[in-house]
Amino acid sequence: MSMKKVVDKDLFLTVLNSSSTKREAKSYISRFKPSKLVPENSPNKGSRSAGPKTVENPIKIRHGVNLGNFYGSARAVEDSPVFTQGPIARRVTQPDDHGPLHVALVKLSTPQSLNDATLKGIGLTLCQLNQLGLPAAVVIDCGVPEIKRAGQEVRQWRKFITEQADRVVSAIEASGSTSARRVEGIIGASSGIEEEHKRPNWDAIGLHVTSRESVLGPLRRGTIPVITPIAHSSQSRVFIADADAVLLALTKELAGLPPGLFSPDAPLSALDQARALQRQVSVDRLIILDPAGGIPSEDSLRGGHVFINMEQEYEDIQKELQEKWSLSGPRLESQGQNSTQPIDPEPLTMPSDADQISRHLSNLRLLRQALTILPPSSSALLTTPEEAAISGGLTPGPFQASGVGTRRQRNTLIHNLLTDKPPYSSSLPAGRLGLSSDNNNNNNNNPVTNAVYNKQSNKQSVPATFIKRGLPLTLIPDPRKEPWKPPRPGDPKVTLHDPRIDLSRLVELIEDSFNRKLDINHYLSRVNDRIAGVIIAGEYEGGALLTWETPPGLSSDPNNNTTENEQQWNPRAVPYLDKFAVRKRSQGAGGVADIVFTAMVRGCFPQGVCWRSRKDNPVNKWYFERARGTWKLPDTNWTMFWTTEDVLGDGDLFRDYESICRGVEPSWADNKNVVD
């Protein structure tokens, strides 16, 4: 079998293993311009009269891998639950021959630590991304020598970087389907390194791209540029630059933000030029391949963050990592930074815990800076080189029936391109991921389980973290300052007339999500005195409203000042999810539902919450995956859900949940609650 056929077969298997749904396939096709995927020998090529191709037609990737009607054949995959309370609006995409070039920027850390097999696996994945419509520019990161090591040793380091870049080029071209080339001399600095004995401030130096076409030219031709972090100062001095600063400079350039654009002296024509540059190229993905892997988390079962909403979580995660770093002791200098021995491509020692945490902090800061520059639709993926090297072939070793239940591994980069999602939902409970406190179940096919093992052995390697700029999240009250607890008599209460809440927009969100009119007066009279808290995503793109409910027969008035009623009411007040709403335009995509649900079950009510939903509600599949338990209430049209542990073992709590879910009175203006 020829190398091209081997590569095409591997791509086909990798796409099969991505488990993307038909909805995700449509989104991928619309994003990456279906007109560019039409076979070259198509009789309608270049003609707009034929109309846009529908997704039911066979899809042919530019380099000849025919996926046929694959996306229409797997009903189980198509039925993968998403949060939607009605049919998703069909997106119609017109062919556009002049759309932007979609690209990914990749940073490959410490290629000198990777063997040839892993590099070839990464090269194959980059070729597959190219075939699927997302060519990548690669920046290699071999580390930065101390500035005092000048002269011969810096020249030696530059030679070493060049050798590593050539290894990456050879690994890409080994697939036989895509060419690659080493690119040097395209990074400039607005100011030089003033003092040779000090490490530079890369932000102050102001790296920028001196030749935009040296990057875009190869990408347009299907060639992958491998960029070395070698920069030229304004004093014509050559030095080894920080790869993070190089990646940030490339991001600014390809995003159409050249140096001096926002200067007060910038002419109006410069802004017009920037808009024109932005129409040429779209940076859809930032990918960091680092042995440190994804961002770790304090959640011992999950091992790490599978998804980060940067707008909401950056400060908390940064603080958590900084606290871990301060407890890890003095940082050990890695070999090559303080050694006077010749550079050895094979590291002699494992990085310390402090080094690992420092890497995580650096990667997190870099991605925050870069995503701030890019449009909200852009995203980032942080994973290990080994994860990026996974192919569509069989997993070595015996078949494992537990956990994932498949012998084929899923390539994180390909899956992310096709779905624009993390490997699994961030709002899923640990029990749905095949995880338990018993780590003796050695399931090598489950990357999440492997992350747990690595963490317990102090070798932190979270397989992947998917990151978006995301949405700001407003929690009223803020559980970090005011934990959500039943109010005691005399305590201030949150109401929907709180100045932090725009009641009209909240009502509009609920009505848009449920496609029903709310009886506002009835709703306020029912919930306004029992609000536990409100969660709002972005500009009311999604939200949740939670209340304190009490079982029948107990006082529901927290302002009753008798000691007996205080003792009776507070211990039995139940947190209840009264409304969970996502705008139609954000249902089924974008992660809004996951962001709101995760904030609710981890930040607001980690001990558990209950809610109900009509038995025929299409969102129930999504709820089933995220609930710890469910119960179809007899003689009603309601299904009860809860995230609390051991509800069935606590008969009183279960009866409280059931009585509350039976007793909550709907507040819809159409008076159709009789069917419930």
Side-chain angles (χ1 to χ4, degrees), residues 601-619:
V601 299
R602 295 188 196 169
C604 303
F605 286 120
Q607 301 305 317
V609 63
C610 75
W611 69 97
R612 72 181 186 183
S613 176
R614 286 177 290 106
K615 291 179 181 178
D616 57 349
N617 191 340
V619 79

Side-chain angles (χ1 to χ4, degrees), residues 373-667:
I373 297 169
L374 298 173
S377 58
S378 300
S379 58
L381 187 66
L382 178 56
T383 189
T384 64
E386 289 74 19
E387 283 286 314
I390 291 175
S391 72
L394 293 176
T395 303
F399 173 72
Q400 298 283 343
S402 60
V404 175
T406 178
R407 288 178 293 174
R408 297 192 184 277
Q409 292 180 302
R410 182 167 60 187
N411 185 290
T412 302
L413 273 64
I414 302 299
H415 172 266
N416 179 254
L417 170 62
L418 296 176
T419 65
D420 196 29
K421 292 181 180 179
Y424 57 90
S425 172
S426 59
S427 64
L428 287 176
R432 293 289 186 271
L433 304 175
L435 304 180
S436 67
S437 57
D438 180 11
N439 288 331
N440 292 325
N441 178 21
N442 186 10
N443 179 11
N444 292 325
N445 279 337
N446 192 332
V448 185
T449 309
N450 291 339
V452 176
Y453 295 144
N454 291 338
K455 183 171 183 176
Q456 291 192 339
S457 62
N458 292 323
K459 297 294 187 295
Q460 179 64 54
S461 181
V462 181
T465 298
F466 180 58
I467 303 174
K468 280 205 166 191
R469 187 199 302 180
L471 298 168
L473 204 63
T474 303
L475 287 79
I476 304 170
D478 187 341
R480 294 172 295 184
K481 301 176 182 177
E482 303 175 58
W484 290 17
K485 295 180 180 180
R488 294 182 177 274
D491 287 350
K493 296 185 299 181
V494 175
T495 73
L496 294 184
H497 295 297
D498 189 293
R500 294 170 291 181
I501 300 172
D502 189 328
L503 180 58
S504 62
R505 297 180 73 185
L506 180 62
V507 170
E508 181 189 3
L509 165 63
I510 293 172
E511 292 179 344
D512 179 80
S513 178
F514 286 87
N515 201 29
R516 299 177 75 175
K517 283 291 182 180
L518 195 67
D519 185 336
I520 300 175
N521 292 330
H522 182 273
Y523 189 65
L524 289 176
S525 66
R526 180 172 70 81
V527 305
N528 217 25
D529 288 332
R530 59 180 74 238
I531 299 294
V534 179
I535 303 172
I536 301 168
E539 295 297 321
Y540 289 81
E541 282 298 306
L545 191 150
L546 296 104
T547 60
W548 295 112
E549 302 293 340
T550 54
L554 297 180
S555 171
S556 61
D557 182 8
N559 293 317
N560 190 320
N561 291 321
T562 64
T563 303
E564 180 182 357
N565 276 331
E566 179 185 353
Q567 293 174 347
Q568 190 178 27
W569 187 85
N570 279 324
R572 298 289 292 275
V574 171
Y576 175 76
L577 174 59
D578 190 87
K579 288 288 181 288
F580 189 89
V582 177
R583 285 192 180 275
K584 286 189 180 70
R585 65 191 179 203
S586 297
Q587 291 182 9
V592 176
D594 279 328
I595 290 171
V596 175
F597 196 90
T598 300
M600 177 183 73
V601 299
R602 295 188 196 169
C604 303
F605 286 120
Q607 301 305 317
V609 63
C610 75
W611 69 97
R612 72 181 186 183
S613 176
R614 286 177 290 106
K615 291 179 181 178
D616 57 349
N617 191 340
V619 79
N620 284 354
K621 291 182 180 180
W622 193 86
Y623 284 150
F624 277 124
E625 284 194 343
R626 284 150 184 81
R628 291 185 181 273
T630 68
W631 174 254
K632 291 185 179 180
L633 300 178
D635 303 320
T636 73
N637 193 38
W638 296 115
T639 297
M640 178 175 74
F641 299 86
W642 63 87
T643 61
T644 315
E645 290 187 14
D646 198 28
V647 169
L648 298 180
D650 186 340
D652 289 340
L653 183 59
F654 179 82
R655 283 188 290 271
D656 287 351
Y657 280 3
E658 181 180 5
S659 62
I660 288 168
C661 288
R662 284 181 180 274
V664 171
E665 186 178 354
S667 298

